[in-house]
Amino acid sequence: MAHSLELEQAVLEVLYKKCLDRPLWVSESEVFWNISDVRVTEREVREVLEQLVYHRRIVKQVGKYQISKAEFLAIKEQMEGRSEEHTSELQSPEA
């Protein structure tokens, strides 16, 4: 991944998906293995995780990470917005 912003989004997406059913604590290694881009290193993932903890977008406890409730809700809102946008595009015929 070229940009740390892309990696940040990928990390947040992994943590979001892990918490869909119930809040779940995830290790750094598990986040790393769930990112499909082979160019990403575990060190880059660690650095992004620590940056996200610093900015309080995720929580760290005993070496494991979990998305914050505020960040989870923000991503959920984004996903629902995209879903509604996609649905309205499918329903409205183009001239």
Side-chain angles (χ1 to χ4, degrees):
M1 292 193 174
H3 283 230
S4 63
L5 184 60
E6 291 174 3
L7 180 55
E8 183 178 297
Q9 288 302 112
V11 167
L12 286 171
E13 184 178 320
V14 167
L15 292 172
Y16 173 78
K17 287 179 180 177
K18 293 285 183 182
C19 286
L20 281 174
D21 294 331
R22 61 186 169 85
L24 186 67
W25 293 93
V26 182
S27 70
E28 173 186 308
S29 180
E30 190 172 351
V31 173
F32 171 71
W33 281 99
N34 277 284
I35 294 176
S36 60
D37 190 339
V38 295
R39 296 173 292 168
V40 173
T41 65
E42 200 161 350
R43 179 182 175 150
E44 290 172 323
V45 171
R46 181 181 319 114
E47 290 170 356
V48 167
L49 285 167
E50 291 303 321
Q51 182 183 16
L52 290 168
V53 168
Y54 177 78
H55 291 290
R56 296 184 178 159
R57 295 178 73 187
I58 64 173
V59 180
K60 180 180 181 181
Q61 194 171 56
V62 193
K64 296 210 174 191
Y65 300 88
Q66 184 182 80
I67 195 165
S68 71
K69 184 175 181 178
E71 191 68 29
F72 178 85
L73 293 173
I75 293 173
K76 183 177 179 181
E77 190 176 294
Q78 278 182 334
M79 297 288 205
E80 288 173 352
R82 285 186 202 154
S83 175
E84 289 173 7
E85 189 176 293
H86 180 70
T87 304
S88 66
E89 285 176 3
L90 292 175
Q91 291 176 351
S92 64
E94 293 186 26

